[in-house]
Amino acid sequence: GQQVQQSPASLVLQEGENAELQCNFSTSLNSMQWFYQRPEGSLVSLFYNPSGTKQSGRLTSTTVIKERRSSLHISSSQITDSGTYLCAAGNYAQGLTFGLGTRVSVFP
Amino acid sequence: AQTIHQWPVAEIKAVGSPLSLGCTIKGKSSPNLYWYWQATGGTLQQLFYSITVGQVESVVQLNLSASRPKDDQFILSTEKLLLSHSGFYLCAWSLLGGRSYEQYFGPGTRLTVL
């Protein structure tokens, strides 16, 4: 089955720095999503991006299917960006396989 | 208005007691439905999925069962809870067909088994 690896496991940033979060998946997919997980557990959808590049504000997601990787770029990080970022990959009918996440901490 | 509703928001139950968690989707016809679970500090894991009423596929065995009694409803249950069932349960939906396989998640249910 699908395996998803996220790196780094954690990241410490000074406010204003950029960051790149990586997600590697083991088999081909037709679904790739990035989420922010709130401390209480619920998910905030950031991107649905099975291929190519998408941008939303300071966030950019790039997925390269043939290299089996996806990335989330955070530019000009802010304290409010702190938290856990999850990527998930899979086949739509069978659901998503999630990575363990990257915990981001942004300090002033 | 929220498309996906989960109930209850949180539950504290005793080991060995029964459990029923629910998920309702509003305004979507024949969605694919999914249950996911996350133990504290663990990875979100898919438990079940359903592409039509009455049909449920199991992905991970956790001594839980799921049913889809109506097109817009997905139920997760067990007759006897284990300590290991504690965690956060998320329901999700996606649409059949189309070009997007995006999944949309509910707010979740926090389960504590004592």
Side-chain angles (χ1 to χ4, degrees), chain B residues 36-54:
Chain B
Y36 293 84
W37 167 75
Q38 184 178 37
T40 303
T43 311
L44 262 167
Q45 298 182 63
Q46 186 188 357
L47 300 177
F48 298 95
Y49 70 93
S50 170
I51 60 174
T52 192
V53 174

Side-chain angles (χ1 to χ4, degrees), chain A residues 8 18 38 40 47 53 58 62 75 78 81 87 101:
Chain A
N18 299 334
R38 295 189 177 105
E40 89 278 10
F47 291 103
T53 298
R58 295 180 296 102
T62 299
S75 63
Q78 299 178 0
D81 294 332
C87 72

